[in-house]
Amino acid sequence: MVGNVIPLIWDMIQDLRGGTYGVDILAASAIIGSLLLHEYWAGIVIVLMLTGGEALEDYAQRRAKKELTALLEYAPTKAHLLRGRKTVDVHVRELRTGDKIIIRPGEVVPVDAVVLEGSASFDEASLTGESLPVVKTVGEQILSGSINLDGVITVRSLHSAADSQFQQIIKLVRSAQSSKAPFVRLADRYSIPFTLIAFGIGIAAWAMSGESIRFLEVLVVATPCPLILAAPIAFISGMSQSAKRGIIVKTGGALEQLATAQTMAFDKTGTLTQGKPTVETVKVYNDFTVEQVLGLSAALEKNSNHVLANAIVEKASSMHSKIPKAKKVSELSGNGLSAHVQGKQVLVGRFGMLASNNISLPKNFNPDSVQQTAAFVAIDGVLAGVITFIDNLRPDTKHTLSQLRHLGIRNFLLVTGDNKATAQAIAKQLSIKDVRSEALPVDKLKAVESLDQRPVAFVGDGVNDAPVLAAADVGIALGARGSTAASESADVVILQDNIAQVATSVSVAKRTFYIAKQSIWIGIVISVGLMFIFATGRFKPVYGAIIQEVVDVIVIFNALRALSPGRELKATTAQKVTG
């Protein structure tokens, strides 16, 4: 027993030196008192239960986050460096500011750079969250980590690889994880008043009777096993309940923070939205029909893996437009595609394609009116149509935010790499007032850190969300669809690609936190009652230790209620089944 007392005393001293006052103070005092007064059996019972409680708490905390191995594996490693007229493949570490580099279709941009020759579409979803491709032409900057979708371009590096955007994301994640504020355990919040009450009753009983044994008798029934056991058991039970629903909560602290969250912050693309662009409008000119424009465009795009090409083909198919066979399909230097379809010359691509191919524009066409991502369709030398794209909300997004409001969340933030107009349009549909657009990973981090209504839970799914997921009080990753880096940075991982599970995770957390507090209060109330009874001196300390174990059993069984779903979760499940 002495071997268990020494670590307890040492922990108590460390707590006091660090300015925290854990529940070990009472336990250590009771065990030391048992030794001094030769009440060994009472001390043994206390040590056994205390050790069991600490083991449970350690188990809950061992479920720590992993290193960001997937993020590191995704980082670009090679680059095509131009040396005179020769192209040499080098490791990205060898790149320096001002180097000329060739980037081919399908390759990851190795360093932040500016385009010198050519133009291409880039997938920046892993950096900015923008699901739609971004066109980069001569003079424009591209970010490391983005993917070249089409066209060969020559660029000049603006930084070394270590100073580029992708490596900054990795640094942000590491620094955010190490800078989180220390978390105060639920039980410790009650430990000071409980300890003062116990010592007060014990000292009073000793003073009034003159018998030191009275002080020990009070401390034995005041041993804070209910405080130590209640929260870990409830939280482990809640984590188990979450896991059954495909929600992995990594620590009990994360579950508690989620239960008390005041603000929910969301990434847009792939989180609130589907992350898959679809055709929004098809505007036609020069007497062409929507069916003609879609059908002829799809003829060129059906063999492409480009995200916009897939959207055009799907739209044409859904409208039962005839998709003829295209001949002599060729690429227009990163500006689009050209082909012969049913005897017609068809071009599909960017606005720049129109001028370079001498396409005739109608008088009622205003290029400034096209603010969204768009594909321009020309047939036989004239503009036939403009196809615009949109990234729609997930089907469950509105209902999920409604459920979160019902659960008591009042503050919402939308933060995204998208442009202001797109972000505001999505926010308006969801009644979110606080919107931060055109945000890079560091901007997302600053936006969440600036919030006053805490704790803050952030929901995201991409590599670009990894830093803010790590820095938020609770990071929630849609892990099945999102990157492993996001999942490993987060405190909560939703395995299904289903945003409705965010509301489920909050519901489970709140029920678990309620049961944990309830169990603690049950233990406190019973223990305080027993303190007054044992202060009379009518019962030996060993009896108090045994009775305290009965209190522990009561607390444990109540805490285990978190293993079962509450009525609200059962009702939600029933609705899904019948719906």
Side-chain angles (χ1 to χ4, degrees):
M1 187 171 72
V2 174
N4 287 283
V5 175
I6 294 174
L8 277 173
I9 296 173
W10 177 250
D11 287 343
M12 180 181 69
I13 294 171
Q14 293 300 108
D15 286 344
L16 291 171
R17 289 180 63 184
T20 58
Y21 308 91
V23 292
D24 292 339
I25 297 174
L26 271 176
S29 301
I31 295 170
I32 292 171
S34 299
L35 288 172
L36 294 176
L37 297 174
H38 307 293
E39 296 287 342
Y40 301 121
W41 281 109
I44 289 171
V45 174
I46 295 169
V47 167
L48 287 174
M49 286 306 296
L50 196 63
T51 304
E54 289 180 341
L56 281 170
E57 192 169 35
D58 289 341
Y59 170 77
Q61 295 303 321
R62 277 199 303 268
R63 299 175 68 167
K65 301 169 190 171
K66 299 177 182 178
E67 292 297 322
L68 301 175
T69 53
L71 183 58
L72 293 170
E73 289 171 2
Y74 182 74
T77 57
K78 291 184 178 181
H80 310 303
L81 178 64
L82 272 175
R83 288 179 177 169
R85 295 183 179 181
K86 293 183 179 180
T87 302
V88 182
D89 287 349
V90 299
H91 197 282
V92 293
R93 288 195 301 265
E94 298 179 38
L95 295 177
R96 297 293 179 264
T97 303
D99 283 346
K100 288 185 179 181
I101 308 161
I102 291 178
I103 303 173
R104 301 181 179 123
E107 293 182 343
V108 179
V109 178
V111 292
D112 296 344
V114 61
V115 179
L116 297 178
E117 296 178 16
S119 63
S121 297
F122 287 86
D123 179 358
E124 295 184 347
S126 64
L127 299 169
T128 66
E130 171 56 71
S131 61
L132 301 177
V134 178
V135 178
K136 298 293 184 179
T137 58
V138 175
E140 294 187 304
Q141 291 185 17
I142 52 176
L143 299 174
S144 63
S146 56
I147 301 170
N148 185 354
L149 298 175
D150 52 31
V152 178
I153 63 170
T154 303
V155 302
R156 184 180 70 249
S157 60
L158 297 174
H159 307 288
S160 65
D163 295 327
S164 290
Q165 183 67 30
F166 201 86
Q167 291 297 326
Q168 292 306 310
I169 291 178
I170 297 173
K171 291 177 184 177
L172 282 169
V173 173
R174 288 172 174 166
S175 108
Q177 286 180 325
S178 63
S179 64
K180 271 193 174 180
F183 178 69
V184 180
R185 296 179 304 173
L186 177 63
D188 288 345
R189 301 177 194 177
Y190 298 90
S191 63
I192 294 177
F194 185 76
T195 300
L196 292 175
I197 291 171
F199 275 110
I201 295 173
I203 291 171
W206 184 359
M208 292 174 66
S209 66
E211 300 175 357
S212 59
I213 193 69
R214 297 281 186 96
F215 180 70
L216 176 61
E217 288 167 348
V218 170
L219 287 193
V220 165
V221 291
T223 301
C225 286
L227 271 72
I228 294 173
L229 291 170
I233 290 176
F235 288 151
I236 291 171
S237 300
M239 291 158 73
S240 175
Q241 176 61 219
S242 296
K244 290 178 184 177
R245 298 173 180 276
I247 302 166
I248 306 302
V249 183
K250 295 183 180 178
T251 66
L255 197 70
E256 182 174 342
Q257 292 277 60
L258 184 58
T260 56
Q262 298 295 310
T263 301
M264 295 292 294
F266 291 90
D267 171 52
K268 182 188 76 68
T269 304
T271 303
L272 295 176
T273 66
Q274 296 177 13
K276 179 183 178 183
T278 58
V279 173
E280 182 183 28
T281 64
V282 182
K283 191 169 183 179
V284 294
Y285 301 93
N286 292 310
D287 298 324
F288 287 97
T289 66
V290 171
E291 289 75 13
Q292 283 179 303
V293 170
L294 280 173
L296 294 173
S297 301
L300 275 70
E301 303 284 13
K302 65 180 180 181
N303 295 317
S304 172
N305 292 322
H306 197 289
V307 64
L308 298 184
N310 294 335
I312 291 174
V313 174
E314 287 181 9
K315 183 65 174 179
S317 300
S318 69
M319 294 183 65
H320 305 290
S321 297
K322 185 179 179 180
I323 304 178
K325 185 176 181 180
K327 299 178 181 179
K328 297 181 180 179
V329 180
S330 60
E331 186 177 336
L332 301 173
S333 302
N335 274 321
L337 296 173
S338 170
H340 286 92
V341 185
Q342 294 180 332
K344 297 180 176 64
Q345 178 69 30
V346 182
L347 307 177
V348 181
R350 305 168 191 154
F351 180 71
M353 167 199 72
L354 303 179
S356 60
N357 287 274
N358 298 316
I359 302 301
S360 176
L361 302 178
K363 292 181 180 180
N364 63 337
F365 173 69
N366 178 14
D368 294 334
S369 66
V370 184
Q371 299 292 326
Q372 299 163 265
T373 300
F376 297 85
V377 183
I379 300 174
D380 288 336
V382 299
L383 181 65
V386 179
I387 303 172
T388 62
F389 303 87
I390 189 173
D391 186 11
N392 291 307
L393 286 174
R394 289 171 177 261
D396 291 334
T397 297
K398 288 185 179 180
H399 181 62
T400 298
L401 266 68
S402 176
Q403 283 187 305
L404 290 171
R405 290 184 173 100
H406 176 70
L407 289 167
I409 306 295
R410 294 290 176 263
N411 306 297
F412 292 88
L413 167 68
L414 172 61
V415 56
T416 175
D418 265 354
N419 62 68
K420 185 176 181 180
T422 302
Q424 289 289 351
I426 292 294
K428 185 176 180 180
Q429 293 182 59
L430 300 173
S431 300
I432 297 177
K433 296 179 181 179
D434 194 354
V435 183
R436 317 288 174 90
S437 57
E438 301 176 2
L440 289 173
V442 67
D443 301 316
K444 291 184 177 185
L445 193 62
K446 290 177 180 177
V448 168
E449 289 177 342
S450 68
L451 295 172
D452 294 325
Q453 296 81 17
R454 311 191 80 89
V456 176
F458 181 87
V459 186
D461 77 322
V463 174
N464 63 300
D465 297 322
V468 68
L469 284 168
D473 298 313
V474 188
I476 305 175
L478 296 181
R481 182 184 182 283
S483 68
T484 305
S487 301
E488 292 182 352
S489 301
D491 304 292
V492 179
V493 178
I494 296 174
L495 300 180
Q496 302 171 19
D497 185 19
N498 182 2
I499 194 172
Q501 292 288 72
V502 174
T504 301
S505 68
V506 174
S507 182
V508 171
K510 284 186 175 292
R511 170 175 160 78
T512 301
F513 187 59
Y514 170 78
I515 290 174
K517 286 200 300 182
Q518 183 188 64
S519 301
I520 287 174
W521 274 109
I522 287 172
I524 287 175
V525 170
I526 295 176
S527 294
V528 170
L530 289 172
M531 288 182 214
F532 284 107
I533 293 172
F534 274 76
T536 62
R538 296 181 181 180
F539 305 99
K540 293 182 179 180
V542 67
Y543 297 151
I546 294 172
I547 292 174
Q548 183 58 246
E549 305 321 313
V550 176
V551 177
D552 295 341
V553 171
I554 294 172
V555 168
I556 288 170
F557 272 99
N558 191 70
L560 286 173
R561 290 195 302 117
L563 277 170
S564 62
R567 285 175 294 179
E568 189 168 339
L569 275 176
K570 286 182 179 178
T572 303
T573 304
Q575 286 176 4
K576 289 180 181 177
V577 172
T578 57

